[in-house]
Amino acid sequence: MTELSEPSEELRPRNEEASATVTDAKQAATTTKVDADTIKAIDAIDGSEGTDTLKYSLLGPSLLKAGQDTVDQSKVSEIIYNASKGSKFFAREEERDRQHTIKIEQIQAKKAQLEKLDLTRDRRNADALLAQFELGRNLTQSIVHVDCDAFYASVEQLDRPELANLPFAVGGGVLTTCNYVARKFGVRSGMAGFVAKKLCPQLILIKNNFDKYNAKAREIREILAEYDPRFESASIDEAYLNITEYCEKHGMSRADAVNKMRKEVHETTQITVSAGIAANSKLAKICSNRNKPNGQFELANDRDAIMEFMKDLPARQVNGIGRVFERELAAAGVKTCGDIYEHRKYLRQLFGEKAYEFLIGIYLGLGRTYIQPAEGYERKSVGTERTFRDMNDPAQLREQLRKTAEDLEADMKKVEVKGRTLCIKLKMHTFEVLTRQVSTPRAVCLADDLYKYSLPMLAKLEQDFPGIRIRLMGLRCTHLVSTKKVDTMAFFGLKKQQESSDGAGQYPSDAMTDRKRKAELDGQWEVWPEEEFLNHEPSPDIEARPPTADPVDDEETRAHGKEIVPNPKKEATPGEGEWFDCPICGRPQSTDERQLNEHIDLCLSRRAIRDTLQEAQEQQPPPLARGLTPETKRLKTGNEKRRGRPSGTSDPKQRKLFFGTS
DNA sequence: GGGGGAAGGACCA
DNA sequence: TTCCTGGTCCTTCCCCC
Ligand SMILES: Nc1ncnc2c1ncn2[C@H]1C[C@H](O)[C@@H](COP(=O)(O)OP(=O)(O)OP(=O)(O)O)O1
Ligand SMILES: [Mg+2]
């Protein structure tokens, strides 16, 4: 699983001072002008015809990062521009910039059009939405966002303390991060190594060592768990915690608790972290950037304080608003979150329903107030891609495809999944990206199959783009089917798929696993407990049945799984003790791990048999009637209804929506 | 009008 | 001379029911 961290920023206009509580002493000293610069840059953008937007874009996505206070952005931008000029990468960026500019003009034209119309209805709708969201506001929780400082660099520095005062960066062709000394030169994550060298010729480059970072991240998480055992790691160096309970139990203020936590992390792991404390995750995330490095910032759980906080907040600082959307919003007149209100009646028509709701939520400073461990989350795809020297020889391309397929097989084995959709990605020498996908007739994971199904896509692309020259190739599988025995997802009743890891009988290519094919329920199933069993298959005798021949019987498949995650349904009435709802049959079960697993095994194997039978009958769908069987379809919709609010998904990086009222 | 697949793209670390 | 990698979600288009 990949994971990482976040951006940063500071500067608070005077008027926010009153509402936002600064909880770290060193804060006052470190104010920056990045915000101001950013705004200036955007202002410049609006009507400009020149290279301003391109230069701004070339600054990279992380210009809001901490440690830039003393940087002369325009000088940096000039150096980057000159270093990049003339390259293919640059040409591509120019083209993108042109496209964006066209889109901006369309937005402006549309807005001008809308201004002539009577938008009373749209304004009323927006007000209704505001009112509705307001009802869901929850100010009862204390959410903390923790973010390690210059994470990879800090970890490297532990092994090489002599680097402490020298500018250094981690990464190869592109930097993953750099220390704060290097940031003074304008060096940032995501920047090309050679550009960074132009900005800072003495810059020392260190290779990535992900195992080391992951190990360190685990150490840090161990400490976080003391403060909230159900914390959510959002990336390798970031986590959300709900410390409401902790503070209550220990009679501590939130700021004190977080100070203590940060101190503890520093003392035991030697890594400094920054934190934001607020009423919800979105605000906490913004706050954690304010006193970076090694600082914290608290925003009171108070509506007025929050509204004041959002009022002058540059939209770009909100997670989910990047370089492009920032420009588009600016074109519509929205630069700060506070600006959203006066333009509310246009937003839906200009940016669509989702973005509109997202923005309204931002204006109100709403966000998730429930935090849940990431283990309860189901991965959606696995993929691998590699950049190499330009290539256009068909034989070589096939060889590369084969390699990619093998890499992907290894990754899929590691995370124990197969996929029903295979996606190929090519980046041409011009940096233009092409993707093609197919649904495979069966879930696949073996290199032979991955190759077999992706080759025709490659061939087609070669045909459509004669003489195609490629600098990157990737493969990705989606519509995953778990090959784990009982995976944790099951416990959330979200979705469960199971299949034999050796459903290989179908493929002539893998005779080696063939011996093992007992019940090959290669297909996936999706279980929506209530609907599926409570509605038409109560079958009271399930429990009584002996555990039917376990369909899964493979070494690796057995290795993992069987991990119990507490039911997130925390309202489990305390008086009655706790229970888990079986994700398969929906009935409450003992929380005893062994008993529960036994019960689930039973339910699962029962499902397995049923599905195998069913498959025998209705097998065909994939090729033509590709899509869901009527049953699955119904179940799927059922699920959506059941989960109700968008809330559910615990995707750490969920972008839009979710003003979870918990 | 809705579901789904396919292609492209924004965004995040 | 040179600009990564792995993942999520959204939008737009299309076909089909
Ligand atoms: N574009 C990227 N590609 C790959 N890895 C990245 C990228 N950006 C960041 N990372 C990695 C390296 C970082 O150390 C780690 C955490 O990211 P992030 O929190 O944004 O920065 P940081 O921790 O290095 O500095 P900061 O002090 O600003 O938080 O994720
Ligand atoms: Mg960080």
Side-chain angles (χ1 to χ4, degrees), chain A residues 3-8 61-62 65-67 147-154 170 174-178 180 183 189-191 208 210 213 235-238 274 289 292-293:
Chain A
E3 354 177 297
L4 299 176
S5 130
E6 97 342 314
S8 92
S62 53
K65 286 229 171 270
D147 188 310
C148 304
D149 303 325
F151 188 55
Y152 294 1
S154 306
V170 183
V174 161
L175 312 182
T176 48
T177 195
C178 62
Y180 279 72
R183 289 184 197 196
S189 35
M191 184 176 273
N208 287 310
F210 295 106
Y213 314 142
S235 76
I236 195 171
D237 86 324
E238 268 177 281
S274 300
N289 287 328
K292 219 171 214 313

Side-chain angles (χ1 to χ4, degrees), chain A residues 39 78 91 103 161 224 250 332 372 393 466 599 639:
Chain A
I39 299 225
E78 225 23 64
K103 201 165 164 207
L224 301 187
H250 295 81
Q372 41 195 196
D393 170 33
H599 168 83
N639 176 56

Side-chain angles (χ1 to χ4, degrees), chain A residues 194-455:
Chain A
F194 79 95
V195 173
K197 277 274 189 186
K198 287 249 158 76
L199 286 165
C200 173
Q202 358 36 321
L203 187 73
I204 299 163
L205 288 176
I206 298 177
K207 283 224 181 69
N208 287 310
N209 187 345
F210 295 106
D211 292 341
K212 212 157 75 179
Y213 314 142
N214 275 311
K216 203 63 184 175
R218 270 196 294 277
E219 282 178 44
I220 294 167
R221 285 176 197 148
E222 247 169 67
I223 296 164
L224 301 187
E226 295 169 21
Y227 293 80
D228 177 8
R230 288 182 41 73
F231 77 95
E232 176 179 316
S233 24
S235 76
I236 195 171
D237 86 324
E238 268 177 281
Y240 291 97
L241 289 80
N242 185 334
I243 56 162
T244 317
E245 229 173 79
Y246 182 93
C247 290
E248 236 165 64
K249 201 164 133 197
H250 295 81
M252 281 177 98
S253 74
R254 330 196 282 181
D256 288 349
V258 171
N259 257 318
K260 177 159 127 53
M261 174 174 75
R262 293 197 306 109
K263 190 155 164 260
E264 201 180 328
V265 169
H266 190 190
E267 279 166 6
T268 59
T269 69
Q270 313 294 105
I271 295 288
T272 64
V273 302
S274 300
I277 311 164
N280 62 58
S281 62
K282 194 187 289 169
L283 295 172
K285 165 105 181 163
I286 297 164
C287 290
S288 71
N289 287 328
R290 292 242 160 173
N291 281 311
K292 219 171 214 313
N294 198 13
Q296 66 187 55
F297 182 91
E298 176 179 6
L299 173 61
N301 280 26
D302 172 86
R303 186 180 183 277
D304 291 343
I306 294 171
M307 295 304 288
E308 193 61 32
F309 181 82
M310 298 311 290
K311 190 166 151 279
D312 295 310
L313 187 77
R316 179 64 186 273
Q317 281 195 41
V318 177
N319 201 340
I321 300 182
R323 279 183 284 184
V324 175
F325 199 21
E326 175 189 38
R327 258 187 85 184
E328 292 176 6
L329 283 171
V334 175
K335 286 168 189 145
T336 70
C337 298
D339 293 337
I340 292 168
Y341 186 78
E342 70 164 293
H343 295 94
R344 64 194 184 288
K345 62 181 173 207
Y346 307 111
L347 301 178
R348 207 180 82 99
Q349 309 217 47
L350 290 179
F351 302 112
E353 184 73 28
K354 293 276 184 199
Y356 161 69
E357 295 194 2
F358 175 61
L359 291 168
I360 296 292
I362 288 172
Y363 168 72
L364 293 171
L366 299 176
R368 275 165 54 212
T369 56
Y370 47 84
I371 300 301
Q372 41 195 196
E375 300 87 71
Y377 194 64
E378 182 191 4
R379 89 155 46 225
K380 305 274 193 317
S381 69
V382 203
T384 178
E385 63 187 52
R386 212 63 48 190
T387 299
F388 36 77
R389 284 224 294 282
D390 286 6
M391 192 186 280
N392 69 344
D393 170 33
Q396 226 182 334
L397 285 172
R398 275 153 189 73
E399 196 185 313
Q400 183 64 35
L401 185 62
R402 180 75 218 179
K403 256 188 266 169
T404 310
E406 273 156 21
D407 285 352
L408 184 54
E409 176 187 305
D411 288 353
M412 295 184 81
K413 195 165 275 170
K414 216 178 305 165
V415 298
E416 301 181 281
V417 289
K418 292 189 176 190
R420 300 191 135 259
T421 304
L422 182 60
C423 177
I424 188 175
K425 167 173 168 178
L426 301 182
K427 194 188 277 176
M428 302 201 278
H429 68 115
T430 56
F431 285 87
E432 192 179 334
V433 174
L434 303 170
T435 62
R436 292 295 181 268
Q437 68 185 65
V438 276
S439 327
T440 54
R442 288 248 156 214
V444 291
C445 68
L446 300 172
D448 282 344
D449 294 319
L450 297 171
Y451 182 78
K452 182 170 81 186
Y453 290 112
S454 53
L455 184 57

Side-chain angles (χ1 to χ4, degrees), chain A residues 49-73:
Chain A
E49 297 298 316
T51 56
D52 287 10
T53 58
L54 179 56
K55 281 185 185 169
Y56 179 71
S57 173
L58 284 169
L59 274 175
S62 53
L63 86 164
L64 298 176
K65 286 229 171 270
Q68 312 268 356
D69 19 326
T70 63
V71 178
D72 181 341
Q73 297 289 348

